[in-house]
Amino acid sequence: AVSAAEPGNDIVFFKRADEKARQLFNIENALNHALEKKQFRLFMQPVVDLDTGAILGAEALIRWEHPRLGLVSPGHFIPMLEHNGGIHDVGAWVLEEAIRGLHQWPDSDGLQIGVNVSRIQLETPDFLDYSAQLMDRANGQAGSLILEMTESMAMRDPEVIISRLRELKTHGHDMAMDDFGTGYSSLAYLKRFPFDYIKIDRAFVRGIPDDVENDLLVQTMRDMTSRLGKRTVAEGVETPEEARRLKQLGFRGVQGYLFDRPMPADDFGELLVKKHEYPVYGEASKT
Ligand code: C2E
Ligand code: MG
Ligand code: MG
Ligand code: MG
């Protein structure tokens, strides 16, 4: 570490800070041209039915294919786009691409594609009209979209989000609360948010059932959300033990590396063509 307190180090310190600022500026600049240069890719991660191994749908996850840096993950550039307003155009592109997928893939009957939307998109006055149009276009299509919003974003000014989401619901979109468990929403809000799905964050799925604390938390979350009449999806399932346990607890929709990683949309289409089924873990549930 360089200490700026020593006089001799001042120059080094400022040079480094300067270098860092320049790099950031270059990246942001490149990012702002990524859309027109067609450098974004929309990957799909299958959402799998634990009972049958069938594909229920997918979550759309954006990637930036930078000529030098390779595939950049959204955690690195979404915040930048939210900050500089680029999220509006990029977010629209994501929704268009997801719908294009629904049109292109065969047998997308009942298929649901989760699309992550940023709070900033949701707050735009145009978003309602825009989403009504999207709905029209997705309608007549077999599949549909689920709009995903993180719990922490929803909890920043929840009253605003509640009324916004209610309006959106009138257009027929399904909605999911993403990364549930990381955003400190209260039971009272959970009840009032018109979310159809609750996606339980990977942090809680990890290590169940051996991780007894996580196991208890997942049970409680599942219990609570199903009592509120919401469907649950578990994220980031990596091991057969986790899958078996989730099935025991009555989960149906899951996604995670155990089944598949996010993949190019065409590859996902191929899985649908082949009617691909994933392995089933644990005993068949008796209904
Ligand atoms: P998210 O919506 O919670 O997406 C799930 C993240 O978990 C994805 O990371 C996915 O690749 C990763 N994941 C899936 N299965 C596993 C697993 O088994 N183990 C582990 N360790 N990770 C797994 P990714 O693609 O890097 O996306 C990170 C976040 O960036 C997303 O979290 C979402 O909040 C945001 N994001 C992604 N695409 C978009 C987008 O198009 N628009 C907006 N606004 N945000 C996006
Ligand atoms: Mg998500
Ligand atoms: Mg998530
Ligand atoms: Mg997440």
Side-chain angles (χ1 to χ4, degrees), residues 12-263:
V12 181
F13 176 80
F14 285 117
K15 259 194 177 155
R16 287 193 185 169
D18 195 50
E19 179 66 20
K20 194 120 203 227
R22 196 171 21 242
Q23 272 175 15
L24 267 177
F25 175 79
N26 285 338
I27 288 178
E28 187 161 4
N29 202 36
L31 182 61
N32 292 339
H33 292 98
L35 198 56
E36 69 196 41
K37 289 189 173 167
K38 300 188 191 309
Q39 290 172 343
F40 289 118
R41 307 279 172 264
L42 198 60
F43 275 29
M44 295 287 159
Q45 183 179 37
V47 176
V48 177
D49 185 338
L50 267 180
D51 284 330
T52 63
I55 294 172
L56 294 170
E59 176 171 7
L61 296 157
I62 195 171
R63 302 286 180 263
W64 175 20
E65 201 173 316
H66 186 279
R68 219 162 15 82
L69 302 172
L71 280 186
V72 185
S73 45
H76 290 113
F77 63 86
I78 291 285
M80 222 178 235
L81 290 173
E82 286 175 336
H83 191 73
N84 70 17
I87 194 68
H88 295 286
D89 287 346
V90 175
W93 178 84
V94 167
L95 286 159
E96 305 278 334
E97 278 293 298
I99 288 185
R100 207 165 63 88
L102 284 173
H103 282 257
Q104 271 180 356
W105 302 320
D107 297 321
S108 52
D109 226 25
L111 202 75
Q112 287 200 301
I113 302 300
V115 175
N116 295 285
V117 293
S118 157
R119 217 201 127 101
I120 295 166
Q121 284 173 272
L122 205 78
E123 279 172 346
T124 325
D126 292 352
F127 194 73
L128 264 187
D129 280 346
Y130 179 63
S131 91
Q133 282 174 35
L134 283 179
M135 216 41 214
D136 285 344
R137 288 176 45 206
N139 269 341
Q141 282 314 296
S144 61
L145 297 182
I146 303 176
L147 303 180
E148 299 191 6
M149 160 174 259
T150 63
E151 183 186 30
S152 42
M153 277 196 190
M155 281 306 290
R156 248 186 280 145
D157 211 350
E159 294 300 336
V160 173
I161 293 300
I162 287 169
S163 63
R164 205 74 183 136
L165 292 180
R166 287 206 175 129
E167 288 174 86
L168 271 172
K169 270 225 78 81
T170 64
H171 295 291
H173 289 291
D174 267 356
M175 261 152 324
M177 180 187 264
D178 205 355
D179 299 356
F180 181 62
T182 64
Y184 311 103
S185 63
S186 67
L187 196 54
Y189 276 121
L190 197 58
K191 194 177 146 219
R192 291 185 56 221
F193 280 124
F195 288 110
D196 307 279
Y197 289 90
I198 302 289
K199 299 187 77 169
I200 295 183
D201 196 74
R202 155 103 195 117
F204 303 98
V205 172
R206 191 183 295 129
I208 60 170
D210 290 351
D211 184 326
V212 288
E213 200 171 88
N214 266 358
D215 200 61
L216 192 67
L217 286 168
V218 169
Q219 278 184 65
T220 309
M221 289 176 184
R222 160 82 194 164
D223 214 52
M224 192 166 78
T225 54
S226 60
R227 274 167 206 266
L228 290 171
K230 298 178 192 299
R231 284 172 279 181
T232 41
V233 171
E235 296 189 299
V237 182
E238 290 185 356
T239 69
E241 290 74 25
E242 290 165 358
R244 272 195 285 271
R245 182 59 176 151
L246 290 166
K247 192 168 169 189
Q248 267 180 355
L249 295 176
F251 280 81
R252 183 168 175 230
V254 286
Q255 58 185 98
Y257 296 167
L258 175 65
F259 301 96
D260 246 323
R261 294 196 171 237
M263 62 184 80

